[in-house]
Amino acid sequence: MLSYKIPAAIALLQSKLDAAQTSLNNTIEDLEFLREQLTIMEVNTARVYNWDVKRRREKREKEAGILDPVYHTKARILNSAIQEIGMGKYQYYLFVVAGFGWFADSVWPLISGLILAPVVAEFRFDGPFLSLASNVGLLVGAVFWGLGCDIWGRRWSFNLTLLIAGIFGLVAGASPNFVTLASLIAVLGIGVGGLSFSENADFVPASHQYMLTIMSVWWSLGQLLVSLKRQHGMALLAFCIRGITLLLWGLRFFVFTLLESPRFLVGIGRDEEAVDVIHQLAKFNSSSSSLNIEHLRKAGTTQQTGGKILSRSSVFQFQHINALFATKKMAFSTSLLIAIWGIIGLASTLYNSFLPYLLATRGASFGDGSLYITYRNQVILSVIGVPAALVAGWAVEIPGLGRRGTLAISSGLTGAFLFASTTARSSTALLGWNCGYVFNSTAMYGVLYAMSPEMFPAKDRGTGNGLVSTATRVFGVIAPVIALYANLSTSVPVYIAGALVILAGFLGLLLPYEPQGKASL
């Protein structure tokens, strides 16, 4: 056994203690380093996990047709805010003033047709040329206002379309020759071409979106007014419609203030204005909203493209059109809607152009052609459209049926009654079949006009509406060309028209989105 003197032992033990302390300090440092590395690894693992979650979510959203996750999130926040406010005075007032557009879109094409005979007698020209001018104007209006309202907003289009229709409709009454009349009718059509699509799609809560379908009741009311007033003479009727159009514009512009679409505003990066609109809506409805700007900021930021009347990105890069075809699902949906609108437009053109020949060759005898019978039948057909709009609004909310089912059924029945009308051999029989045709076609158009805006994102909705409306307006332009140059002595196109309407209903079932129970984005 070793022995040390006390001073040597103390020195040895002290050296061992110092070495142990140094080793302990090194171990503590190593442990701290390891702890730090573990923390870094956990953070990096969490980041990778979050990145993977985000990537998977974006993939799911892309497959579902969601183009911009930030906009999608903000739109849902706004939908919740609108649902929190609920259905109130503003939405009901908007239902009325937006209905003015449906009303004018219904009566002005009728007026253009009703004045045709006296105008042809006075100016000596081929009647279809006036129809061609009117339909060209409607086509230009559909494109211009549809694309435009996604660039400069909804308010300009909402307030100007009725004004243009009223002013040029009034001036057209003093036309000294056919060229002047046709030109003014074409400009009138530009105003009318942007009237029908519902501005209230951006403010109606998800629980009340069936009202978009019921909007078609205004179309039937327009038809009814013309039918009731027609017996007082074309000149008086045309003058009344001009005055009513300007009156309706005055109510829109001076009495009612349209709020800009909050979804449109967030789509162009103006979140503060969107929040302000929501609070104005709540105040008008004597309600309140808990929405504030922080709710939207947490969702992220969208690229600001607004602030100018003509946005460079909107005009030169066609971003609104591209957005409607950005994903396979969205492109399929947009293409199907355009096809449905185009097919129905073609079917309507063929039916109206070739049905008279078919009935004549089948030996149809309509008997009493008195003004009383004519006006009576027109009033009956106009009245039929009112309950049709209400039934369509009820049907789209039936679980399992929805918009697609209602569109398919109403289109199928429209085609069936179109076929049945070709068997008419008397005025009474034709009236009966036409009642079924008008009832179902009104429901069909009501669903289609409401369904289309629901399926387009609000920031691109005007462009989408413009595209589908253009598809049917193109065939409106073709109609007078057929009347001028085509051989109308064949009945085959009538049967093709019936088949096309039924085909449109089948295509409606293939639409990838069902808006029932969902707030439009």
Side-chain angles (χ1 to χ4, degrees):
M1 177 178 293
L2 296 175
S3 61
Y4 294 89
K5 293 182 179 180
I6 291 177
I10 292 174
L12 177 63
L13 291 174
Q14 185 63 48
S15 66
K16 297 293 184 182
L17 178 61
D18 292 341
Q21 187 65 47
T22 301
S23 177
L24 177 61
N25 291 336
N26 290 337
T27 302
I28 292 174
E29 289 181 4
D30 290 342
L31 288 174
E32 289 294 333
F33 175 77
L34 289 175
R35 187 177 294 110
E36 182 179 346
Q37 295 304 309
L38 286 172
T39 302
I40 292 174
M41 183 180 67
E42 290 173 352
V43 170
N44 289 332
T45 302
R47 287 174 177 172
V48 172
Y49 175 79
N50 292 336
W51 171 83
D52 185 60
V53 169
K54 181 180 179 182
R55 183 183 62 84
R56 291 174 180 272
R57 183 176 66 246
E58 289 176 350
K59 183 179 179 181
R60 288 195 303 269
E61 290 173 345
K62 187 174 182 180
E63 291 174 350
I66 298 172
L67 309 178
D68 183 348
V70 174
Y71 169 78
H72 182 78
T73 302
K74 290 183 178 182
R76 289 192 176 279
I77 293 172
L78 293 174
N79 289 341
S80 299
I82 292 173
Q83 188 66 48
E84 178 188 10
I85 295 170
M87 194 72 179
K89 293 185 298 181
Y90 182 86
Q91 286 91 343
Y92 290 116
Y93 292 165
L94 183 56
F95 176 83
V96 174
V97 295
F100 295 165
W102 281 75
F103 176 88
D105 193 13
S106 171
V107 299
W108 275 111
L110 279 179
I111 295 298
S112 298
L114 292 176
I115 66 172
L116 189 59
V119 167
V120 168
E122 180 178 354
F123 295 137
R124 304 294 181 182
F125 65 93
D126 287 333
F129 281 114
L130 185 63
S131 299
L132 180 61
S134 176
N135 283 289
V136 167
L138 292 172
L139 173 61
V140 173
V143 175
F144 179 77
W145 297 112
L147 300 180
C149 69
D150 281 337
I151 300 173
W152 53 67
R154 279 41 169 175
R155 296 179 66 180
W156 284 95
S157 303
F158 183 79
N159 288 318
L160 288 178
T161 47
L162 265 182
L163 178 62
I164 292 173
I167 289 178
F168 284 93
L170 186 65
V171 176
S175 300
N177 53 58
F178 167 70
V179 174
T180 303
L181 176 63
S183 301
L184 292 173
I185 289 293
V187 180
L188 184 155
I190 293 175
V192 174
L195 285 171
S196 290
F197 285 99
S198 303
E199 291 84 355
N200 57 346
D202 290 328
F203 291 98
V204 175
S207 58
H208 288 74
Q209 281 190 184
Y210 63 86
M211 292 188 66
L212 302 179
T213 303
I214 300 178
M215 285 286 294
S216 59
V217 73
W218 289 96
W219 179 280
S220 299
L221 292 176
Q223 302 273 317
L224 180 59
L225 176 67
V226 172
S227 299
L228 292 174
K229 293 296 183 180
R230 184 178 176 184
Q231 58 184 313
H232 298 295
M234 293 300 102
L236 179 60
L237 174 60
F239 181 80
C240 288
I241 295 301
R242 294 167 190 144
I244 290 174
T245 303
L246 289 174
L247 174 62
L248 297 182
W249 168 78
L251 292 175
R252 270 191 175 189
F253 189 77
F254 295 107
V255 177
F256 181 82
T257 300
L258 178 72
L259 299 175
E260 187 56 84
S261 164
R263 299 188 190 98
F264 166 77
L265 292 173
V266 298
I268 59 175
R270 292 154 62 178
D271 294 355
E272 293 84 357
E273 293 180 48
V275 173
D276 184 58
V277 166
I278 292 295
H279 285 283
Q280 289 182 58
L281 173 63
K283 183 178 179 181
F284 195 97
N285 284 354
S286 301
S287 181
S288 61
S289 173
S290 59
L291 180 69
N292 60 59
I293 188 60
E294 293 302 322
H295 293 135
L296 297 181
R297 286 175 177 168
K298 288 179 181 178
T301 57
T302 52
Q303 181 179 3
Q304 183 161 346
T305 60
K308 298 181 180 179
I309 293 297
L310 295 179
S311 162
R312 178 179 176 84
S313 62
S314 297
V315 175
F316 296 107
Q317 297 179 13
F318 298 99
Q319 66 173 26
H320 297 295
I321 295 178
N322 294 338
L324 299 176
F325 297 91
T327 67
K328 291 182 179 180
K329 191 172 184 179
M330 194 67 194
F332 181 65
S333 175
T334 302
S335 301
L336 266 186
L337 282 174
I338 292 174
I340 292 171
W341 278 85
I343 288 171
I344 291 176
L346 175 60
S348 176
T349 297
L350 293 175
Y351 178 72
N352 293 327
S353 298
F354 290 91
L355 181 64
Y357 171 78
L358 174 64
L359 294 177
T361 57
R362 293 298 179 83
S365 175
F366 297 119
D368 188 357
S370 66
L371 288 177
Y372 169 76
I373 294 295
T374 301
Y375 293 146
R376 183 204 66 180
N377 290 355
Q378 289 174 344
V379 170
I380 291 174
L381 293 175
S382 300
V383 170
I384 286 292
V386 176
L390 301 177
V391 169
W394 165 75
V396 296
E397 292 299 312
I398 296 177
L401 186 62
R403 274 70 164 165
R404 292 181 296 189
T406 304
L407 177 63
I409 293 174
S410 58
S411 299
L413 291 175
T414 298
F417 279 102
L418 188 153
F419 281 127
S421 66
T422 64
T423 67
R425 299 294 178 269
S426 66
S427 176
T428 303
L430 184 61
L431 175 63
W433 294 125
N434 277 344
C435 284
Y437 172 78
V438 169
F439 183 92
N440 289 285
S441 63
T442 300
M444 175 186 70
Y445 276 112
V447 175
L448 196 55
Y449 267 94
M451 188 179 188
S452 298
E454 287 180 312
M455 297 179 69
F456 295 127
K459 63 187 182 69
D460 309 306
R461 181 171 295 149
T463 301
N465 290 342
L467 290 178
V468 298
S469 183
T470 298
T472 194
R473 299 295 190 189
V474 165
F475 291 104
V477 173
I478 292 175
V481 176
I482 291 176
L484 282 168
Y485 302 109
N487 176 19
L488 300 182
S489 58
T490 176
S491 57
V492 174
V494 176
Y495 298 106
I496 294 177
L500 287 174
V501 175
I502 295 175
L503 173 62
F506 172 74
L507 292 179
L509 292 175
L510 301 180
L511 287 167
Y513 301 102
E514 172 52 64
Q516 184 189 52
K518 303 173 184 176
S520 60
L521 297 175

